[in-house]
Amino acid sequence: MEFLELARNRYSERSFAAKPVEEEKLYKILEAGRIAPTACNNQPQRFYVLKSKAALSKAAKLTRTYNAPVVVLVCYVESDAWHNPRDGFCSGDMDASIAASSMMFEAEDLGVHSIWLRGFDSGAVQTAFELPVGTIPSLMLALGYPTANAAPFKLHGEREHMEEFVVEL
Ligand SMILES: Cc1cc2nc3c(=O)[nH]c(=O)nc-3n(C[C@H](O)[C@H](O)[C@H](O)COP(=O)(O)O)c2cc1C
């Protein structure tokens, strides 16, 4: 499928079936995150794969996960991330987000639906999953197959026109 068609078809899934994601597909999704570009190739991204009942129920208490059978908690190690000497900017969140986007589209390509989740409290996530000090949660990417009634929310179709985004200088 052409990439733009894939990107247009993708929507945030909020109705996951109980069907698990096959291990081979999950591996490919994680591989897309592993090979993603990062600032200075520092590779600060870390993927915590939440699959056990206990881990998924912890995640669901931190933010709505829509019964997804797998949730990838995408983090970055702050000391590994690039820090711009000019202004101190830390690339960690950006690196983690690029990795997550790659995983989101790889999932879509494999027929696995997803939703990006950021409605959690970072400190609560650190505590719940006992993350090492300096490992910062960026987002959760919930993955799985849609239920028979699944459909995009109205917001999926609501995008501004190109002129709102593009400024030519
Ligand atoms: C940074 C970010 C954070 C988001 N956090 C949540 C969230 O916590 N819960 C949720 O239901 N959707 C969340 N979403 C999904 C957005 O609501 C969704 O992408 C947007 O409404 C457009 O819909 P679409 O993805 O179906 O095209 C998030 C998306 C992004 C990119």
Side-chain angles (χ1 to χ4, degrees):
M1 193 188 295
E2 199 218 330
F3 181 75
L4 260 187
E5 198 187 341
L6 184 86
R8 282 204 184 95
N9 287 348
R10 181 220 59 88
Y11 70 89
S12 294
E13 187 56 74
R14 293 186 174 89
S15 183
F16 287 102
K19 182 181 171 183
V21 176
E22 299 84 342
E23 281 303 314
E24 317 82 70
K25 288 194 178 182
L26 185 56
Y27 183 84
K28 284 184 173 176
I29 293 166
L30 295 167
E31 174 68 356
R34 183 184 75 83
I35 64 174
T38 55
C40 271
N41 202 28
N42 278 14
Q43 306 171 54
Q45 70 271 41
R46 297 292 182 275
F47 312 131
Y48 292 81
V49 182
L50 315 178
K51 282 197 297 193
S52 68
K53 217 172 160 191
L56 289 169
S57 113
K58 271 186 197 176
K61 287 190 186 113
L62 294 157
T63 190
R64 284 192 73 182
T65 58
Y66 306 99
N67 296 322
V70 187
V71 175
V72 181
L73 167 61
V74 183
C75 301
Y76 64 92
V77 176
E78 218 208 339
S79 57
D80 285 353
W82 176 67
H83 289 78
N84 186 338
R86 292 201 166 95
D87 63 0
F89 167 80
C90 171
S91 70
D93 225 10
M94 206 176 257
D95 294 325
S97 296
I98 293 168
S101 295
S102 296
M103 292 196 284
M104 187 173 75
F105 288 112
E106 174 61 14
E108 187 70 23
D109 199 38
L110 295 167
V112 175
H113 286 203
S114 68
I115 183 166
W116 189 298
L117 302 168
R118 190 55 186 87
F120 55 78
D121 175 292
S122 299
V125 169
Q126 298 243 17
T127 307
F129 295 108
E130 299 177 21
L131 299 180
V133 175
T135 295
I136 316 294
S138 226
L139 66 126
M140 292 184 195
L141 190 67
L143 298 164
Y145 291 98
T147 62
N149 304 326
F153 271 29
K154 191 168 158 274
L155 288 177
H156 175 64
E158 293 185 9
R159 297 293 198 268
E160 300 296 334
H161 293 287
M162 190 68 92
E163 301 77 58
E164 298 294 324
F165 296 110
V166 180
V167 180
E168 284 193 24
L169 299 173

